[in-house]
């Protein structure tokens, strides 16, 4: 039955094109920055026609946000919550060390910087970035802290969203504005000081 | 003695031009972003010749960093250290509330965002920005925490540079990436949680 036999092939080709487009968007934005990112540039790099991109995405922002969502999902390896071994300090150190490693990887650093810089100056892009990429990441901390509060591991009066900022803010500040280098020891110090502040 | 009479006039004119150029640089970068900021644009806006700018500054980055240094100095109103009333919590709340107010002011927000976005993607500009503008601001916290540690108000083992990140990181993250709005209550919560973590 050639009709059904063709369908999986077409679907595989579509998926290959989709991944090629997302990879091309990440590579391109890392090289040129967000402002100079174009659908034409992404299409040329991915070896597809512009119309193929416009069939699936309405704008370069939409392509890039899908590309980052894919990167985040690859990094999460199917895990959609933070580790919860019952040892909050150990769990958060594991997560923040992994975050430091990710921020220090060149393949992540350049496109992530280009996107973050665009969000700094473009409120509409920032809103989408928060809704699609950053918000869901921060929610994982909020959920972990909420569980820790229910288990009596952090104080009852702690605002779990502010506690989240206390953990991710220092790393983001150091990374975005390049104030100082970051390593695992830094991640550990941030967790230790922040946890002393919110401990039960 | 016309020679000495002319000199103060020339000096006043120079100072007027210098301020006009710095103001024009801030206005211009707020409108166009750093990438599209040009010496020509600054000169036209300030009503001076390009050569006047090049006589004093080698590049647009140099103009902009001087402009920001001037803004910071105006905001500091001659105070080159954080308040030290002996009540660390009250002092830090005052400083962080003022920071929130500054970040929420339109006149500061747009040029500051343009400069921060440029620092995110341009390592050389980031280095100058840290050396000239951000580093000296962070040093004020380090000095205040060092005094508090000497006075026994925070724990002996606290790394005062990490403690600084714990205070400024959450505000910077929320402001730069626009995750959520910021107000005085937020500044207070950050200070309270961070101080619980570093208290003696």
């Amino acid at each position: 039955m050639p009709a059904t036999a063709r369908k999986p092939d077409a679907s595989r080709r579509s998926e290959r094109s989709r991944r090629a487009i997302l990879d091309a968007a990440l590579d391109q934005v890392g090289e040129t920055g967000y402002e100079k990112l174009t659908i034409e540039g992404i299409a040329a790099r991915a070896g597809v026609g512009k119309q193929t991109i416009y069939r699936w995405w309405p704008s370069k922002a939409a392509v890039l946000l899908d590309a980052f969502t894919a990167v985040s999902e690859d990094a999460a390896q199917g895990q959609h919550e933070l580790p919860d071994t019952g040892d909050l300090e150990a769990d958060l150190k594991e997560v923040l060390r992994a975050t430091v490693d990710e921020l220090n990887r060149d393949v992540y650093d350049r496109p992530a910087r280009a996107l973050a810089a665009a969000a700094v100056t473009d409120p509409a892009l920032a809103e989408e970035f928060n809704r699609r990429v950053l918000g869901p990441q921060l929610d994982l901390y909020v959920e972990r802290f909420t569980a820790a509060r229910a288990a009596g591991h952090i104080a009852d009066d702690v605002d779990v969203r502010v506690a989240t900022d206390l953990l991710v803010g220092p790393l983001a500040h150091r990374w975005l504005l390049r104030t100082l280098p970051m390593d695992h020891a830094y991640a550990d110090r941030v967790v230790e000081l922040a946890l002393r502040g919110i401990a039960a």
Side-chain angles (χ1 to χ4, degrees), chain A residues 18-19 21-27 29 34 37 39 42 53 56-74 108 111-120 122-137:
Chain A
R18 204 184 71 85
R19 292 300 301 216
I21 292 164
L22 297 180
D23 288 346
L26 289 175
D27 290 346
V29 80
Y34 181 73
L37 180 72
I39 295 285
I42 298 170
I53 298 183
W56 291 328
W57 292 279
S59 66
K60 69 178 186 179
V63 181
L64 195 59
L65 289 166
D66 270 358
F68 256 90
T69 305
V71 167
S72 302
E73 280 170 5
D74 285 353
Y108 179 87
R113 284 186 180 282
L115 186 59
V120 168
D122 180 340
L125 182 69
E127 194 181 329
E128 277 294 285
F129 177 60
N130 275 291
R131 198 173 61 77
R132 299 278 309 278
V133 180
L134 185 55
Q137 288 171 4

Side-chain angles (χ1 to χ4, degrees), chain A residues 59-148:
Chain A
S59 66
K60 69 178 186 179
V63 181
L64 195 59
L65 289 166
D66 270 358
F68 256 90
T69 305
V71 167
S72 302
E73 280 170 5
D74 285 353
Q77 299 183 312
Q79 286 224 294
H80 291 291
E81 49 191 37
L82 298 194
D84 188 351
T85 65
D87 182 340
L88 182 62
E89 180 169 332
D91 292 345
L92 292 177
K93 283 182 176 175
E94 184 189 327
V95 172
L96 257 63
R97 284 176 172 215
T99 303
V100 164
D101 289 344
E102 189 172 53
L103 295 175
N104 283 333
R105 274 171 63 217
D106 272 351
V107 62
Y108 179 87
D109 180 82
R110 298 195 67 185
R113 284 186 180 282
L115 186 59
V120 168
T121 55
D122 180 340
L125 182 69
E127 194 181 329
E128 277 294 285
F129 177 60
N130 275 291
R131 198 173 61 77
R132 299 278 309 278
V133 180
L134 185 55
Q137 288 171 4
L138 297 178
D139 286 345
L140 300 181
Y141 289 90
V142 168
E143 286 159 20
R144 183 67 184 82
F145 280 132
T146 303

Side-chain angles (χ1 to χ4, degrees), chain A residues 145 149 154-164 166 194 197-200:
Chain A
F145 280 132
R149 196 170 54 186
I154 66 174
D156 282 341
D157 67 344
V158 166
D159 180 323
V160 293
R161 190 59 186 69
V162 178
T164 297
L166 221 61
I198 65 181

